[in-house]
Amino acid sequence: MPGFDIDFAVMLFPLMLKYLKVTLLLSIGAAFWGILAAVFIALCIDLKVKLLAPFVKVYVSFFRGTPLIAQLFLMYFGFVQVIPSFKNMSSFTAALIVLSLNAAAFMSETIRGSISSVNKGQMEACVSVGMSYLQAMRRVILPQATRVAISALFNSFISIVKNSSLAFTIGVTEMIAVAQLEAASSYRYLEAFIDIAVVYWALTLVLGKVQQRIERNLSVQN
């Protein structure tokens, strides 16, 4: 390819991969906290909890309806003007918080839909034998809803991995930050961003294979 420096492209791969752990830490952390928050949001809406239900609906609408990069800038550059303690927050922490909140908004809708897919008669049966709402959810409804939701939740995780690339915009040193720094110093932007595309493509292919295996295992169990 004219003008393409294959040696530079090959040299850049190990430099970028050194920071793959940052991408994975951000993604796994955001997925963990996002799922916990998503379950809470879904239950609040399902129970129609006064005050909380309207609040979480606005929260979901905001995070689903605004760009992730705007949310990152608002957290890291905006809130510091009104909350002085945020001055001490690292860019990694800010990115983790925003990715978690963003993921929770999307995953809560998946979980709500999965809960709705479980026959309502099962909840009524649980209540009739003396279970509370939360006991019925934990023992009967959520395990079934999880089987329905797992594919969509894994798609959300793949989206989190790709969205984590935006963390470099607030100063997190991850793969794109390294690629951009190296490209700027050598003017080899084509090689750097082809490398980035290949790494993320390979990562999503691997995650896709994991998702397929999980889905096959679930279908066998069913």
Side-chain angles (χ1 to χ4, degrees), residues 57-100:
K57 285 181 179 179
V58 172
Y59 158 84
V60 169
S61 176
F62 174 80
F63 278 93
R64 284 170 60 92
T66 56
L68 178 59
I69 193 167
Q71 297 164 18
L72 285 166
F73 283 5
L74 181 63
M75 171 66 72
Y76 193 62
F77 299 117
F79 284 165
V80 71
Q81 296 181 10
V82 292
I83 308 175
S85 59
F86 275 29
K87 288 182 179 179
N88 300 320
M89 181 168 49
S90 69
S91 57
F92 182 91
T93 301
L96 178 59
I97 291 171
V98 172
L99 285 169
S100 301

Side-chain angles (χ1 to χ4, degrees), residues 107 110 146-162 201-221:
M107 290 193 289
T110 297
T146 299
R147 290 176 179 270
V148 176
I150 193 69
S151 180
L153 290 176
F154 209 96
N155 283 334
S156 293
F157 177 64
I158 292 174
S159 294
I160 292 169
V161 171
K162 292 184 287 187
W201 186 23
L203 190 54
T204 54
L205 285 175
V206 170
L207 292 173
K209 292 294 184 183
V210 173
Q211 179 182 10
Q212 289 173 9
R213 175 162 293 188
I214 291 172
E215 290 173 350
R216 281 199 300 269
N217 289 342
L218 288 175
S219 65
V220 168
Q221 291 174 16

Side-chain angles (χ1 to χ4, degrees), residues 2-14:
F4 186 85
D5 188 341
I6 187 67
D7 292 332
F8 178 84
V10 171
M11 176 278 296
L12 187 55
F13 269 118

Side-chain angles (χ1 to χ4, degrees), residues 36-51:
L36 290 182
V39 171
F40 175 77
I41 292 166
L43 293 181
C44 282
I45 295 175
D46 190 59
L47 271 173
K48 298 180 175 61
V49 179
K50 288 182 179 179
L51 299 180

Side-chain angles (χ1 to χ4, degrees), residues 22-23 26 68-69 72-73 76-77 91-96 98-99 160-177 200:
V22 177
T23 296
L26 266 179
L68 178 59
I69 193 167
L72 285 166
F73 283 5
Y76 193 62
F77 299 117
S91 57
F92 182 91
T93 301
L96 178 59
V98 172
L99 285 169
I160 292 169
V161 171
K162 292 184 287 187
N163 287 340
S164 69
S165 63
L166 289 175
F168 90 96
T169 60
I170 59 171
V172 177
T173 304
E174 45 76 70
M175 291 189 294
I176 286 189
Y200 275 98

Side-chain angles (χ1 to χ4, degrees), residues 119-131 136 141:
N119 192 308
K120 293 186 182 299
Q122 297 196 39
M123 174 60 79
E124 294 169 359
C126 290
V127 172
S128 69
V129 297
M131 287 189 191
I141 307 300

Side-chain angles (χ1 to χ4, degrees), residues 99-152:
L99 285 169
S100 301
L101 294 174
N102 182 275
F106 284 91
M107 290 193 289
S108 66
E109 294 297 289
T110 297
I111 292 171
R112 279 183 61 205
S114 301
I115 290 173
S116 298
S117 71
V118 178
N119 192 308
K120 293 186 182 299
Q122 297 196 39
M123 174 60 79
E124 294 169 359
C126 290
V127 172
S128 69
V129 297
M131 287 189 191
S132 68
Y133 174 85
L134 291 179
Q135 286 176 328
M137 275 290 174
R138 180 169 56 87
R139 297 177 183 177
V140 178
I141 307 300
L142 284 180
Q144 295 179 70
T146 299
R147 290 176 179 270
V148 176
I150 193 69
S151 180

